[in-house]
Amino acid sequence: MRALCWEGVGKLAVRDVPEPRIRADGDVVVRVRASSVCGSDLHLINGYLPAMREGDVLGHEFMGEVVETGPGVRRLRVGDRVVVGSVVACGGCWYCRTEQYSLCDNSNPQPVFTEKLWGHSPAGILGYSHAAGGYAGSHAEYIRVPFGDVGAFRVPDGVSDDAAVFASDAMPTGWMAADFCGLKGGEVVAVWGAGGVGQMAARSAQILGAGRVIVIDRLPERLATAAARLGVETIDYARTDVLEALREMTAGRGPDACIEAVGMESHDVGPSYAYDRVKQAARLQTDRLVSVRQAIMACRKGGTVSIVGVYAGLVDKFPLGAAMNKALVLRMGQMHAQRYIPMLLERLAGGEIDPGYLATHPLPLEDGVRGYELFEKKRDGCLRTVLHPSA
């Protein structure tokens, strides 16, 4: 079968790879119908997340059709149209039983690296390096899904493939970001990043009761899309001092909650960004912390900072003093897909959320390399490239 593979830092290629097969009783094999690119994939491609090997199949945000099931699968049938959470969870360990699925004890078969790096190993993630289990990803014609009864969910009739695909990752990540904010109604929420996750976080905050949502980015087309589709306020950080603007927009108090939906390759203007970029390029730190710093500095006293952008290791100039002395609540993590996806599919079917507009560039799998270039370079107004392997 054909798949989009990692060929070394900054290099991708579509190549032939072996078809997946059932390996365990709970496995299902899915024919991929739509597989979205994701900003966190860029961290793998650019070498900022470790443990990639030549030929690894990329992709973790997808939906498709079940074509084979293991003997232990009870909930799914061949022919079911399903969306699959990117995080692999066993469903039976203590973390899964308490709905902390991205912390699953049993789904990462290669835990040694992350145990040494982070103290404990979290869950495996499809298509996300050998540090996250070494699972083949979804930018392929077929994919094996472990624990299929736990991680794959039937898509309601009437929901398009290009909308359902975002229920795999962008929607649950965005929802968890807003959920972490503990909104009670009427709050001001600022969101760093107007990509897929940032826009879904903004929409989720609105549904959960935010009175105002302010989205921060530098790309005019993304800001315009967020304003038009979601009715949010926007700040272009390339033209405006973000901290000053947020103070003015909140009568000096600052947002009640700040959501960081950018991650380790965050961008900015000015000397702090140049400092972070040099240190990251020299591998003196693994992550650029610009947007996290801004979120902590902007947030009102006693507020919440919710971090769902992906970070991997060590950072410099973390404003711990600001977080402590302002009594901020910091919440962060990989999303608990299985907790949120069933609810989000219901909201999709009811029209409360419509992420289909994010799929600005649908392409066949064979154009996957170009699709990633459009996405990474933010060309042609690209919000998300969605690959269609069966096209």
Side-chain angles (χ1 to χ4, degrees), residues 175-254:
W175 190 277
M176 189 174 82
D179 192 23
F180 276 176
C181 294
L183 303 177
K184 301 183 184 303
E187 292 90 350
V188 178
V189 177
V191 180
W192 273 256
V197 171
Q199 296 210 27
M200 291 299 96
R203 178 62 185 133
S204 300
Q206 290 173 330
I207 293 171
L208 290 171
R212 295 171 64 192
V213 177
I214 304 164
V215 173
I216 301 148
D217 206 297
R218 68 183 172 93
L219 298 174
E221 62 273 20
R222 292 192 175 192
L223 292 170
T225 298
R229 291 280 184 169
L230 307 176
V232 298
E233 301 168 72
T234 63
I235 296 173
D236 181 346
Y237 69 75
R239 297 174 177 270
T240 305
D241 184 299
V242 173
L243 300 185
E244 181 179 333
L246 287 172
R247 281 193 293 267
E248 290 181 358
M249 297 168 79
T250 58
R253 191 172 74 167

Side-chain angles (χ1 to χ4, degrees), residues 36-238:
S36 176
V37 306
C38 179
S40 57
D41 288 321
L42 300 179
H43 311 327
L44 299 173
I45 294 167
N46 293 329
Y48 293 122
L49 286 173
M52 291 293 289
R53 299 175 187 171
E54 184 178 343
D56 282 349
V57 180
L58 292 163
H60 61 268
E61 184 167 17
F62 70 103
M63 58 78 59
E65 179 183 336
V66 175
V67 295
E68 187 177 1
T69 63
V73 175
R74 297 289 179 264
R75 193 172 55 81
L76 300 172
R77 298 289 182 269
V78 171
D80 284 347
R81 190 169 65 118
V82 296
V83 64
V84 179
S86 57
V87 170
V88 182
C90 74
C93 70
W94 182 85
Y95 290 102
C96 288
R97 293 197 306 272
T98 56
E99 296 190 312
Q100 300 178 85
Y101 295 100
S102 67
L103 307 179
C104 175
D105 266 338
N106 298 321
S107 64
N108 187 346
Q110 302 177 28
V112 175
F113 181 87
T114 47
E115 285 176 348
K116 290 182 178 179
L117 182 64
W118 298 326
H120 296 83
S121 176
I125 301 175
L126 296 167
Y128 217 70
S129 89
H130 293 268
Y135 295 106
S138 61
H139 294 340
E141 294 178 282
Y142 298 91
I143 182 172
R144 178 179 74 95
V145 178
F147 308 107
D149 275 342
V150 180
F153 303 88
R154 292 186 186 90
V155 177
D157 293 340
V159 175
S160 71
D161 289 0
D162 278 355
V165 67
F166 297 111
S168 171
D169 192 313
M171 288 175 65
T173 301
W175 190 277
M176 189 174 82
D179 192 23
F180 276 176
C181 294
L183 303 177
K184 301 183 184 303
E187 292 90 350
V188 178
V189 177
V191 180
W192 273 256
V197 171
Q199 296 210 27
M200 291 299 96
R203 178 62 185 133
S204 300
Q206 290 173 330
I207 293 171
L208 290 171
R212 295 171 64 192
V213 177
I214 304 164
V215 173
I216 301 148
D217 206 297
R218 68 183 172 93
L219 298 174
E221 62 273 20
R222 292 192 175 192
L223 292 170
T225 298
R229 291 280 184 169
L230 307 176
V232 298
E233 301 168 72
T234 63
I235 296 173
D236 181 346
Y237 69 75

